[in-house]
Coordinates of all heavy atoms in Angstrom, one line a residue:
Chain A
W40 N 17.5 2.8 -1.2 CA 16.1 2.3 -1.1 C 15.9 1.4 0.1 O 16.8 0.7 0.6 CB 15.9 1.3 -2.4 CG 16.1 2.1 -3.6 CD1 17.3 2.1 -4.3 CD2 15.2 2.9 -4.3 NE1 17.1 2.9 -5.4 CE2 15.9 3.4 -5.5 CE3 13.9 3.3 -4.1 CZ2 15.3 4.2 -6.4 CZ3 13.3 4.1 -5.1 CH2 14.0 4.6 -6.2
E41 N 14.7 1.5 0.6 CA 14.3 0.6 1.8 C 13.0 -0.2 1.4 O 12.1 0.3 0.7 CB 14.0 1.5 3.0 CG 15.2 2.1 3.6 CD 15.0 2.6 5.0 OE1 13.9 3.0 5.3 OE2 15.9 2.5 5.8
T42 N 12.9 -1.4 2.0 CA 11.7 -2.1 1.8 C 11.4 -3.0 3.1 O 12.3 -3.0 3.9 CB 11.8 -3.0 0.6 OG1 10.5 -3.6 0.3 CG2 12.8 -4.2 0.7
G43 N 10.3 -3.6 3.1 CA 10.0 -4.5 4.2 C 9.7 -5.9 3.7 O 9.3 -6.0 2.6
K44 N 9.8 -6.9 4.5 CA 9.6 -8.3 3.9 C 8.1 -8.7 4.3 O 7.8 -9.8 3.9 CB 10.6 -9.2 4.5 CG 12.0 -9.1 4.0 CD 12.9 -10.1 4.5 CE 14.2 -10.1 3.8 NZ 15.1 -11.0 4.4
S45 N 7.3 -8.0 5.0 CA 6.1 -8.5 5.5 C 4.8 -7.6 5.3 O 3.9 -7.7 6.0 CB 6.2 -8.9 6.9 OG 6.7 -7.8 7.7
F46 N 4.9 -6.9 4.2 CA 3.7 -6.0 3.8 C 2.5 -6.9 3.6 O 2.6 -7.9 2.9 CB 4.0 -5.2 2.5 CG 4.9 -4.1 2.8 CD1 5.3 -3.2 1.8 CD2 5.3 -3.7 4.1 CE1 6.1 -2.2 1.9 CE2 6.1 -2.6 4.2 CZ 6.5 -1.9 3.2
G47 N 1.4 -6.6 4.1 CA 0.2 -7.1 3.8 C 0.0 -8.7 4.0 O -0.7 -9.3 3.4
T48 N 0.8 -9.2 4.9 CA 0.8 -10.6 5.3 C 0.4 -10.8 6.7 O 0.6 -9.9 7.6 CB 2.1 -11.3 5.0 OG1 3.0 -10.9 6.0 CG2 2.6 -11.0 3.6
V49 N -0.1 -12.0 7.1 CA -0.4 -12.2 8.5 C 0.8 -12.3 9.4 O 0.7 -12.3 10.6 CB -1.2 -13.5 8.6 CG1 -2.6 -13.4 8.2 CG2 -0.6 -14.7 7.9
D50 N 2.0 -12.4 8.7 CA 3.2 -12.4 9.6 C 3.6 -11.0 10.1 O 4.4 -11.0 11.1 CB 4.5 -12.8 8.7 CG 4.2 -14.2 8.0 OD1 3.5 -15.0 8.6 OD2 4.8 -14.4 6.9
A51 N 3.0 -10.0 9.6 CA 3.4 -8.7 10.0 C 3.1 -8.5 11.5 O 2.1 -8.9 12.1 CB 2.6 -7.6 9.2

Side-chain angles (χ1 to χ4, degrees):
Chain A
W40 305 94
E41 290 200 326
T42 191
K44 288 185 173 178
S45 50
F46 284 173
T48 70
V49 285
D50 302 333

